Each structure stands twice: as C-alpha cells, then as structure tokens.
Amino acid sequence: MRATQTAGPVYTAAWVTWPGRVRRCAAGGPGVRGAGGCERAPARLAPCALHWPLGAGAAPGPPALCPPRGARPLYSAPLPGPRQAACHGVGTARRAEPRRQTPAAAAAAPTAAPRRSRCHRAPKATMKKEVCSVAFFKAVLAEFLATLIFVFFGLGSALKWPSALPTILQISIAFGLAIGTLAQALGPVSGGHINPAITLALLIGNQISLLRAIFYVAAQLVGAIAGAGILYWLAPGNARGNLAVNALSNNTTPGKAMVVELILTFQLALCIFSSTDSRRTSPVGSPALSIGLSVTLGHLVGIYFTGCSMNPARSFGPAVVMNRFSPSHWVFWVGPIMGAVLAAILYFYLLFPSSLSFHDRVAVVKGTYEPEEDWEDHREERKKTIELTAH
C-alpha cells in the first residue's frame, strides 16, 4: 500500500502488531468494506512502515482493517527524512518522504541543537589516537616531574643532619606540603596522581585507560628513582643515612604493617576521589589543600609503624638507590594498592556509581571513549571551520 497525496498531515504507524483474529463485523461474519463489514486479514502483520493519509478510513489508521479490541496502533508525527525514519525503526523499503517547506518557512523555523542519535555516531576514537597525542605525553611527563619533586622534598625533610635531627611533625608537614603543591601545579596536566596506588585505583574505578595507567606507573617509578638519586648525590654522607628507606619499627609485624598501610592509603584515596569529583555540587574547597592535609594526617600516625609509605613509588625510589630491599618490602606495595583499590570500589561503585553503560566502561579502559559533550564540541568546531572555509 503506497502513500497517496492528500491535503493535511500524514501520520506514520510504526511497529504495529495485530494479535489474534480480526474483529467480526457488527452484521455478523466477514463482509466487504462499505457494506458495514470488514475484510479478513492475517492474524499478524509484520512491523510496518506504511503511511496512511488522514481521512482515508473511518479513523486515522489502516483503511482496510478494523483492529481487534485492545490493539492500539502507534502513530507519530511526520518524520522529517529517510535518515530520521531509520532511526525511529521504520522499514527501509518505505520511508517517510521529507516535508517540503518554502524558503521563508525554512528560514523562520528555529534551529534545534544537534542531538546525537543512533544514526549520527561520534568519530571513532582509537587507542593509537590517545597515545600519539601531545596531551598524553605532557601528562606522562608531568607525572614523572611531580613524583621526582615529591620524593626529593619528602625524603629531604627526613635527612639526619647533625645540627638538628628531623621531627615527626616536620616530616609530616613536608610530605603534605609537597603533595599539595604538586597537585595544584601539575594536577591540571595529568590529574596529579603521583602515586601508583592511586593510578591503579582510578583504573579499577573506570576513570582512566589501561594504557595511560601503565605509562603513569612507569613514569612515577622512574621519577621516584631520579628524585632519590638527585638527593643522594646532593646530600653529604653524614646526613644521608639510609635515605629514609621505609622499614618496620616498634616490633610491627609485616601483617600489621600491611593493615596500617591499607588504612592510611584508604583515607587518602577517598579524599582524592571525593575532592576531585566533578559531579559534586556541594562546595569542595581546595582539592590540593585537602589532599595535602590527608597526606600529613597519614604521616603523623604511620611513621611510628612503617615510616609511612602510602605510595609504592616513595618506597621504591630510595630502596633502588640505596640497594636496600628488606624482606618486608612487599608491604609497601600490597598495603597501599589494596587500600586505594578498596576505596575506589566503595566510592565509584557503591557510594557514587557512574551512569556509564558497560560498552562505555570498556571504551574507557581501552582509551577509545569520547564523552558526548566532547563530541558535540568537536562537531561545532568542525562546523565553524567549514563555514569559515566556505566564505
């Protein structure tokens, strides 16, 4: 059945199903149309994309069928074009014809904001595109520099100068000030992880890609070794000591030390996730200050047990430079990573879960995810470029 040219709007029926047998006519038994009866029809029609002009039958519907009781055909407004018709599930064989407008009406019609539909996909992003971008290498470089500076200042505050031995408060404040300063300075470039445990936790929380996490962790470990090496070279031998290598103290067993590191890193990770969450509408103050205070808090307690690591890179750097890997060195990896991962699971999956679909989550890990707002911005920029080129 083809659409006929009539005056008035054309309505489209989409995905209509006629269950069971057709209704019998009021006169009893099937009859022909025009004699008060109805034609017999198959018990079920395929999903249709047919167009019926208004007024072709007794009601705005199929002109030769009377639907049974309870069956309600679905009608929509005239579809603007074949592409939009395909998006609404209409068959490709018979799509709605685009409505013709006069130039004056087209100019007066308001332009709606472009919406991303199934027919308008964003440009396909690839993992290679992320790695080869300049922003990616800037972020990796920022993680390297931030960890180098953090380890240098943190370990430097713990040097045992003969004139004045460091205090617990001095070391705690120095570590907190260092992390807060670097988060404020380099956080906009890379996110300011400066900690392999935080990076892995953000990967588990579906916040960064796997490839970015690998590059970040490598940059952090190399930066920690570089920072410890520079400090070792600058510090005199009588003040260098063991370069503040983490070690268990006060009869702390490896199991208890791991629990201590887990708790310390857990509170740090929760503070980072909460203070940097862009979804929050309540005032968060300064994230850098909050993170710095969290690091200071951890050192005020953890130094008495393990020297306070909360960061595998901080423990790995001086251990490599001094070549002092104790049998309990694993504590400073397992404890912080477990604490940060548990915080990520609690925050990103239980307390404040994300609305991303499974497909989008996989795309985030692969590094191919492109948020809709970014795609819209890209589309607007491309449209402006085309307009400028045309003129």
Side-chain angles (χ1 to χ4, degrees), residues 196-206 258-271 273-274 333-352:
I198 298 300
T199 299
L200 295 178
L202 290 173
L203 175 64
I204 297 298
N206 210 245
M258 188 197 70
V259 175
V260 170
E261 289 292 334
L262 186 151
I263 296 174
L264 297 179
T265 315
F266 181 85
Q267 63 87 22
L268 171 63
L270 272 184
C271 178
F273 301 153
S274 178
W333 286 82
V334 177
I337 291 177
M338 287 184 60
V341 169
L342 288 177
I345 295 174
L346 176 65
Y347 188 88
F348 292 114
Y349 294 99
L350 297 179
L351 298 181
F352 302 99

Side-chain angles (χ1 to χ4, degrees), residues 156-173:
S157 66
L159 295 179
K160 299 179 180 180
W161 297 96
S163 57
L165 294 178
T167 63
I168 301 297
L169 180 61
Q170 171 189 334
I171 298 173
S172 302
I173 293 178

Side-chain angles (χ1 to χ4, degrees), residues 43-332:
R44 191 176 184 84
L45 290 180
C48 58
L50 307 180
H51 311 85
W52 294 283
L54 186 63
L65 293 176
C66 295
R69 181 176 302 175
R72 294 180 297 177
L74 304 178
Y75 295 97
S76 61
L79 301 177
R83 180 175 292 274
Q84 300 296 335
C87 292
H88 287 77
V90 180
T92 57
R94 300 176 180 175
R95 295 171 178 167
E97 295 294 332
R99 295 182 62 186
R100 296 183 179 179
Q101 293 181 344
T102 62
T111 56
R115 294 188 302 173
R116 185 179 178 183
S117 64
R118 291 184 297 172
C119 295
H120 297 84
R121 302 274 185 188
K124 185 177 181 181
T126 60
M127 190 178 298
K128 181 180 178 181
K129 180 180 178 181
E130 179 188 21
V131 177
C132 295
S133 64
V134 177
F136 181 85
F137 283 99
K138 286 182 178 180
V140 174
L141 178 61
E143 286 297 313
F144 168 79
L145 291 176
T147 312
L148 185 155
I149 298 172
F150 170 70
V151 170
F152 177 84
F153 280 97
L155 300 184
S157 66
L159 295 179
K160 299 179 180 180
W161 297 96
S163 57
L165 294 178
T167 63
I168 301 297
L169 180 61
Q170 171 189 334
I171 298 173
S172 302
I173 293 178
F175 272 96
L177 290 176
I179 201 71
T181 302
L182 294 169
Q184 181 70 28
L186 298 177
V189 181
S190 65
H193 298 188
I194 323 175
N195 190 334
I198 298 300
T199 299
L200 295 178
L202 290 173
L203 175 64
I204 297 298
N206 210 245
Q207 302 300 306
I208 60 174
S209 66
L210 175 61
L211 199 61
R212 183 177 291 266
I214 293 174
F215 273 82
Y216 273 23
V217 171
Q220 291 158 1
L221 295 180
V222 175
I225 296 174
I230 294 173
L231 183 64
Y232 180 87
W233 176 62
L234 293 176
N238 60 344
R240 186 183 304 150
N242 62 356
L243 211 62
V245 174
N246 286 115
L248 308 186
S249 58
N250 296 320
N251 299 322
T252 304
T253 62
K256 292 181 178 179
M258 188 197 70
V259 175
V260 170
E261 289 292 334
L262 186 151
I263 296 174
L264 297 179
T265 315
F266 181 85
Q267 63 87 22
L268 171 63
L270 272 184
C271 178
I272 293 174
F273 301 153
S274 178
S275 60
T276 59
D277 193 347
S278 60
R279 299 172 296 174
R280 287 190 59 175
T281 57
S282 59
V284 296
S286 172
L289 178 60
S290 302
I291 296 170
L293 291 176
S294 178
V295 172
T296 301
L297 174 63
H299 279 77
L300 288 173
V301 176
I303 288 179
Y304 295 100
F305 294 92
T306 62
C308 189
S309 172
M310 295 197 300
N311 188 335
R314 176 258 180 269
S315 301
F316 182 73
V320 170
V321 173
M322 299 300 296
N323 195 21
R324 294 185 60 174
F325 287 93
S326 64
S328 58
H329 182 76
W330 62 270
V331 168
F332 309 111

